[in-house]
Short mmCIF file of all heavy atoms in Angstrom, two decimals:
data_model
loop_
_atom_site.label_atom_id
_atom_site.label_comp_id
_atom_site.label_asym_id
_atom_site.label_seq_id
_atom_site.Cartn_x
_atom_site.Cartn_y
_atom_site.Cartn_z
N MET K 85 -10.80 4.46 -4.99
CA MET K 85 -10.07 5.69 -5.24
C MET K 85 -10.98 6.90 -5.14
O MET K 85 -10.58 7.97 -4.65
CB MET K 85 -9.40 5.63 -6.62
CG MET K 85 -8.35 4.52 -6.75
SD MET K 85 -7.72 4.32 -8.44
CE MET K 85 -6.99 5.93 -8.72
N VAL K 86 -12.22 6.74 -5.60
CA VAL K 86 -13.18 7.83 -5.53
C VAL K 86 -13.65 8.04 -4.09
O VAL K 86 -13.85 9.16 -3.63
CB VAL K 86 -14.38 7.54 -6.45
CG1 VAL K 86 -15.39 8.67 -6.39
CG2 VAL K 86 -13.91 7.33 -7.88
N ALA K 87 -13.84 6.93 -3.37
CA ALA K 87 -14.42 7.00 -2.03
C ALA K 87 -13.45 7.53 -0.98
O ALA K 87 -13.88 8.18 -0.02
CB ALA K 87 -14.91 5.62 -1.61
N CYS K 88 -12.16 7.27 -1.12
CA CYS K 88 -11.21 7.63 -0.07
C CYS K 88 -11.19 9.14 0.17
O CYS K 88 -10.89 9.92 -0.75
CB CYS K 88 -9.80 7.15 -0.44
SG CYS K 88 -8.55 7.62 0.79
N PRO K 89 -11.49 9.58 1.37
CA PRO K 89 -11.50 11.03 1.66
C PRO K 89 -10.10 11.63 1.74
O PRO K 89 -9.96 12.85 1.78
CB PRO K 89 -12.21 11.11 3.01
CG PRO K 89 -11.90 9.80 3.67
CD PRO K 89 -11.86 8.79 2.56
N PHE K 90 -9.07 10.77 1.75
CA PHE K 90 -7.70 11.27 1.89
C PHE K 90 -6.90 11.14 0.58
O PHE K 90 -5.70 11.38 0.57
CB PHE K 90 -7.00 10.50 3.01
CG PHE K 90 -7.71 10.59 4.33
CD1 PHE K 90 -8.41 9.50 4.82
CD2 PHE K 90 -7.69 11.76 5.07
CE1 PHE K 90 -9.09 9.58 6.04
CE2 PHE K 90 -8.36 11.84 6.29
CZ PHE K 90 -9.06 10.75 6.77
N ASN K 91 -7.57 10.75 -0.51
CA ASN K 91 -6.92 10.67 -1.83
C ASN K 91 -5.69 9.76 -1.83
O ASN K 91 -4.64 10.12 -2.37
CB ASN K 91 -6.51 12.05 -2.32
CG ASN K 91 -7.69 12.98 -2.49
OD1 ASN K 91 -8.57 12.73 -3.30
ND2 ASN K 91 -7.72 14.05 -1.70
N ILE K 92 -5.81 8.58 -1.25
CA ILE K 92 -4.64 7.73 -1.10
C ILE K 92 -4.53 6.59 -2.14
O ILE K 92 -3.50 6.48 -2.79
CB ILE K 92 -4.58 7.14 0.33
CG1 ILE K 92 -4.33 8.26 1.34
CG2 ILE K 92 -3.49 6.08 0.44
CD1 ILE K 92 -3.03 9.01 1.12
N PRO K 93 -5.52 5.73 -2.31
CA PRO K 93 -5.33 4.59 -3.23
C PRO K 93 -4.92 5.06 -4.63
O PRO K 93 -5.46 6.04 -5.15
CB PRO K 93 -6.71 3.92 -3.25
CG PRO K 93 -7.34 4.30 -1.96
CD PRO K 93 -6.86 5.70 -1.70
N ALA K 94 -3.95 4.38 -5.20
CA ALA K 94 -3.47 4.72 -6.54
C ALA K 94 -3.55 3.47 -7.41
O ALA K 94 -3.43 2.35 -6.92
CB ALA K 94 -2.03 5.23 -6.47
N TYR K 95 -3.73 3.67 -8.70
CA TYR K 95 -3.88 2.56 -9.64
C TYR K 95 -2.60 2.39 -10.44
O TYR K 95 -2.01 3.37 -10.90
CB TYR K 95 -5.06 2.82 -10.57
CG TYR K 95 -5.63 1.58 -11.22
CD1 TYR K 95 -6.16 0.55 -10.45
CD2 TYR K 95 -5.66 1.45 -12.60
CE1 TYR K 95 -6.70 -0.58 -11.04
CE2 TYR K 95 -6.21 0.32 -13.20
CZ TYR K 95 -6.73 -0.69 -12.41
OH TYR K 95 -7.26 -1.80 -13.01
N ASP K 96 -2.20 1.16 -10.57
CA ASP K 96 -0.93 0.84 -11.25
C ASP K 96 -1.17 0.85 -12.77
O ASP K 96 -1.12 -0.19 -13.42
CB ASP K 96 -0.44 -0.53 -10.78
CG ASP K 96 0.98 -0.82 -11.23
OD1 ASP K 96 1.63 0.10 -11.73
OD2 ASP K 96 1.42 -1.97 -11.07
N TYR K 97 -1.40 2.03 -13.33
CA TYR K 97 -1.78 2.14 -14.74
C TYR K 97 -0.69 1.64 -15.68
O TYR K 97 -0.97 1.14 -16.77
CB TYR K 97 -2.10 3.60 -15.09
CG TYR K 97 -3.39 4.11 -14.50
CD1 TYR K 97 -3.40 4.90 -13.36
CD2 TYR K 97 -4.61 3.79 -15.08
CE1 TYR K 97 -4.58 5.36 -12.82
CE2 TYR K 97 -5.81 4.25 -14.55
CZ TYR K 97 -5.78 5.05 -13.42
OH TYR K 97 -6.96 5.50 -12.88
N HIS K 98 0.59 1.77 -15.31
CA HIS K 98 1.65 1.40 -16.23
C HIS K 98 1.86 -0.11 -16.31
O HIS K 98 2.63 -0.59 -17.13
CB HIS K 98 2.97 2.08 -15.83
CG HIS K 98 3.49 1.66 -14.49
ND1 HIS K 98 3.19 2.35 -13.33
CD2 HIS K 98 4.28 0.63 -14.11
CE1 HIS K 98 3.78 1.77 -12.32
NE2 HIS K 98 4.44 0.72 -12.75
N ASN K 99 1.15 -0.88 -15.44
CA ASN K 99 1.22 -2.34 -15.52
C ASN K 99 0.04 -2.82 -16.37
O ASN K 99 -1.05 -3.06 -15.86
CB ASN K 99 1.16 -2.95 -14.12
CG ASN K 99 1.43 -4.44 -14.13
OD1 ASN K 99 1.35 -5.11 -15.16
ND2 ASN K 99 1.74 -4.99 -12.98
N ALA K 100 0.27 -2.95 -17.67
CA ALA K 100 -0.83 -3.24 -18.60
C ALA K 100 -1.41 -4.64 -18.40
O ALA K 100 -2.60 -4.87 -18.61
CB ALA K 100 -0.34 -3.08 -20.04
N LEU K 101 -0.59 -5.60 -18.00
CA LEU K 101 -1.05 -6.99 -17.90
C LEU K 101 -1.78 -7.28 -16.59
O LEU K 101 -2.73 -8.07 -16.57
CB LEU K 101 0.15 -7.94 -18.05
CG LEU K 101 0.88 -7.88 -19.40
CD1 LEU K 101 2.04 -8.85 -19.39
CD2 LEU K 101 -0.07 -8.21 -20.53
N ASN K 102 -1.34 -6.66 -15.50
CA ASN K 102 -1.96 -6.96 -14.22
C ASN K 102 -2.01 -5.72 -13.33
O ASN K 102 -1.35 -5.65 -12.30
CB ASN K 102 -1.19 -8.09 -13.51
CG ASN K 102 -1.90 -8.55 -12.26
OD1 ASN K 102 -3.12 -8.52 -12.16
ND2 ASN K 102 -1.12 -9.00 -11.28
N PRO K 103 -2.80 -4.70 -13.72
CA PRO K 103 -2.87 -3.48 -12.91
C PRO K 103 -3.57 -3.74 -11.58
O PRO K 103 -4.51 -4.54 -11.50
CB PRO K 103 -3.69 -2.53 -13.79
CG PRO K 103 -4.53 -3.43 -14.62
CD PRO K 103 -3.69 -4.66 -14.89
N THR K 104 -3.10 -3.09 -10.53
CA THR K 104 -3.69 -3.26 -9.20
C THR K 104 -3.78 -1.92 -8.51
O THR K 104 -3.18 -0.93 -8.93
CB THR K 104 -2.83 -4.20 -8.33
OG1 THR K 104 -1.49 -3.69 -8.25
CG2 THR K 104 -2.80 -5.61 -8.91
N VAL K 105 -4.58 -1.89 -7.44
CA VAL K 105 -4.64 -0.72 -6.56
C VAL K 105 -3.50 -0.85 -5.55
O VAL K 105 -3.28 -1.92 -4.99
CB VAL K 105 -5.99 -0.65 -5.84
CG1 VAL K 105 -6.00 0.50 -4.82
CG2 VAL K 105 -7.12 -0.48 -6.84
N ARG K 106 -2.78 0.24 -5.33
CA ARG K 106 -1.60 0.16 -4.47
C ARG K 106 -1.64 1.30 -3.44
O ARG K 106 -2.04 2.43 -3.76
CB ARG K 106 -0.32 0.23 -5.30
CG ARG K 106 -0.15 -0.99 -6.18
CD ARG K 106 0.92 -0.77 -7.24
NE ARG K 106 2.25 -0.58 -6.69
CZ ARG K 106 3.05 -1.56 -6.29
NH1 ARG K 106 2.64 -2.81 -6.37
NH2 ARG K 106 4.25 -1.31 -5.83
N LYS K 107 -1.21 0.97 -2.22
CA LYS K 107 -1.16 1.97 -1.15
C LYS K 107 -0.34 1.41 0.01
O LYS K 107 0.00 0.22 0.02
CB LYS K 107 -2.57 2.33 -0.68
CG LYS K 107 -3.25 1.21 0.09
CD LYS K 107 -4.55 1.68 0.69
CE LYS K 107 -5.06 0.65 1.71
NZ LYS K 107 -4.20 0.58 2.91
N CYS K 108 -0.10 2.27 0.99
CA CYS K 108 0.57 1.86 2.23
C CYS K 108 -0.26 0.80 2.96
O CYS K 108 -1.48 0.90 3.03
CB CYS K 108 0.76 3.08 3.11
SG CYS K 108 0.99 2.75 4.87
N THR K 109 0.40 -0.21 3.49
CA THR K 109 -0.27 -1.26 4.27
C THR K 109 0.11 -1.20 5.75
O THR K 109 -0.17 -2.13 6.49
CB THR K 109 0.09 -2.66 3.72
OG1 THR K 109 1.50 -2.89 3.94
CG2 THR K 109 -0.24 -2.77 2.25
N MET K 110 0.74 -0.10 6.17
CA MET K 110 1.28 0.03 7.52
C MET K 110 2.25 -1.13 7.81
O MET K 110 2.39 -1.57 8.95
CB MET K 110 0.17 0.09 8.58
CG MET K 110 0.59 0.84 9.85
SD MET K 110 -0.82 1.46 10.80
CE MET K 110 -1.36 -0.05 11.61
N CYS K 111 2.88 -1.61 6.72
CA CYS K 111 3.85 -2.72 6.83
C CYS K 111 3.21 -3.93 7.53
O CYS K 111 3.79 -4.51 8.46
CB CYS K 111 5.11 -2.28 7.55
SG CYS K 111 6.12 -1.10 6.61
N HIS K 112 2.02 -4.29 7.10
CA HIS K 112 1.28 -5.40 7.72
C HIS K 112 2.11 -6.67 7.84
O HIS K 112 2.09 -7.32 8.91
CB HIS K 112 0.00 -5.67 6.92
CG HIS K 112 -0.79 -6.84 7.41
ND1 HIS K 112 -1.41 -6.86 8.64
CD2 HIS K 112 -1.05 -8.04 6.83
CE1 HIS K 112 -2.03 -8.02 8.80
NE2 HIS K 112 -1.82 -8.75 7.73
N PRO K 113 2.88 -7.08 6.81
CA PRO K 113 3.71 -8.29 6.97
C PRO K 113 4.72 -8.16 8.10
O PRO K 113 4.99 -9.13 8.82
CB PRO K 113 4.40 -8.43 5.60
CG PRO K 113 3.50 -7.72 4.65
CD PRO K 113 2.95 -6.58 5.42
N ARG K 114 5.28 -6.96 8.29
CA ARG K 114 6.23 -6.75 9.39
C ARG K 114 5.51 -6.81 10.74
O ARG K 114 6.07 -7.34 11.71
CB ARG K 114 6.93 -5.40 9.21
CG ARG K 114 7.94 -5.36 8.08
CD ARG K 114 8.51 -3.94 7.90
NE ARG K 114 9.19 -3.48 9.09
CZ ARG K 114 10.49 -3.65 9.34
NH1 ARG K 114 11.24 -4.31 8.46
NH2 ARG K 114 11.04 -3.17 10.43
N LEU K 115 4.31 -6.26 10.79
CA LEU K 115 3.55 -6.31 12.05
C LEU K 115 3.28 -7.75 12.46
O LEU K 115 3.34 -8.09 13.65
CB LEU K 115 2.23 -5.54 11.91
CG LEU K 115 2.32 -4.04 11.59
CD1 LEU K 115 0.94 -3.43 11.62
CD2 LEU K 115 3.26 -3.33 12.55
N GLU K 116 2.99 -8.61 11.48
CA GLU K 116 2.74 -10.01 11.79
C GLU K 116 3.98 -10.70 12.33
O GLU K 116 3.88 -11.70 13.03
CB GLU K 116 2.24 -10.73 10.54
CG GLU K 116 0.83 -10.32 10.10
CD GLU K 116 0.33 -11.15 8.95
OE1 GLU K 116 1.12 -11.41 8.03
OE2 GLU K 116 -0.85 -11.56 8.98
N GLU K 117 5.17 -10.15 12.00
CA GLU K 117 6.42 -10.70 12.50
C GLU K 117 6.85 -10.04 13.81
O GLU K 117 7.93 -10.34 14.33
CB GLU K 117 7.52 -10.52 11.46
CG GLU K 117 7.26 -11.27 10.15
CD GLU K 117 8.32 -10.97 9.10
OE1 GLU K 117 9.26 -10.20 9.42
OE2 GLU K 117 8.21 -11.49 7.98
N GLY K 118 6.04 -9.14 14.32
CA GLY K 118 6.39 -8.45 15.56
C GLY K 118 7.33 -7.29 15.37
O GLY K 118 7.91 -6.79 16.35
N LYS K 119 7.47 -6.81 14.13
CA LYS K 119 8.37 -5.69 13.85
C LYS K 119 7.59 -4.39 13.75
O LYS K 119 6.37 -4.38 13.63
CB LYS K 119 9.13 -5.94 12.54
CG LYS K 119 10.00 -7.19 12.54
CD LYS K 119 10.65 -7.36 11.18
CE LYS K 119 11.52 -8.61 11.12
NZ LYS K 119 12.14 -8.80 9.78
N LEU K 120 8.31 -3.28 13.77
CA LEU K 120 7.72 -1.97 13.59
C LEU K 120 7.51 -1.69 12.11
O LEU K 120 8.22 -2.25 11.26
CB LEU K 120 8.62 -0.88 14.18
CG LEU K 120 8.80 -0.84 15.69
CD1 LEU K 120 9.87 0.18 16.05
CD2 LEU K 120 7.48 -0.49 16.37
N PRO K 121 6.58 -0.81 11.76
CA PRO K 121 6.52 -0.34 10.37
C PRO K 121 7.86 0.25 9.97
O PRO K 121 8.56 0.86 10.79
CB PRO K 121 5.42 0.73 10.41
CG PRO K 121 4.56 0.34 11.58
CD PRO K 121 5.51 -0.23 12.59
N GLY K 122 8.23 0.09 8.72
CA GLY K 122 9.55 0.54 8.27
C GLY K 122 9.80 2.01 8.52
O GLY K 122 10.89 2.41 8.94
N CYS K 123 8.80 2.85 8.29
CA CYS K 123 8.99 4.29 8.47
C CYS K 123 9.20 4.64 9.93
O CYS K 123 10.04 5.50 10.26
CB CYS K 123 7.79 5.05 7.90
SG CYS K 123 6.20 4.56 8.62
N VAL K 124 8.46 3.98 10.82
CA VAL K 124 8.61 4.25 12.26
C VAL K 124 10.01 3.86 12.72
O VAL K 124 10.66 4.59 13.48
CB VAL K 124 7.54 3.47 13.06
CG1 VAL K 124 7.76 3.65 14.56
CG2 VAL K 124 6.15 3.93 12.66
N GLU K 125 10.48 2.72 12.25
CA GLU K 125 11.80 2.24 12.65
C GLU K 125 12.91 3.16 12.15
O GLU K 125 13.94 3.32 12.81
CB GLU K 125 12.01 0.82 12.10
CG GLU K 125 13.27 0.14 12.58
CD GLU K 125 13.35 -1.30 12.11
OE1 GLU K 125 13.64 -1.51 10.90
OE2 GLU K 125 13.12 -2.21 12.91
N ALA K 126 12.69 3.79 10.98
CA ALA K 126 13.75 4.61 10.38
C ALA K 126 13.75 6.04 10.88
O ALA K 126 14.75 6.76 10.69
CB ALA K 126 13.60 4.61 8.85
#
């Protein structure tokens, strides 16, 4: 979060039991299926 020059990674602070870093993945699972990113398709 500190290193990113574009201020993108966010921390899931409200998830007390299992907080994670969250951000756009360019719809990586969709790309593996041969699909477009959701935003591009829409």
Side-chain angles (χ1 to χ4, degrees):
M85 296 173 62
V86 180
C88 178
F90 303 106
N91 299 298
I92 293 300
Y95 202 61
D96 191 10
Y97 288 101
H98 64 268
N99 188 342
L101 297 179
N102 187 31
T104 57
V105 175
R106 293 166 65 81
K107 71 172 193 68
C108 159
T109 66
M110 206 158 78
C111 291
H112 176 66
R114 288 175 60 91
L115 298 185
E116 290 186 318
E117 296 175 2
K119 299 178 181 179
L120 292 173
C123 57
V124 175
E125 187 175 74

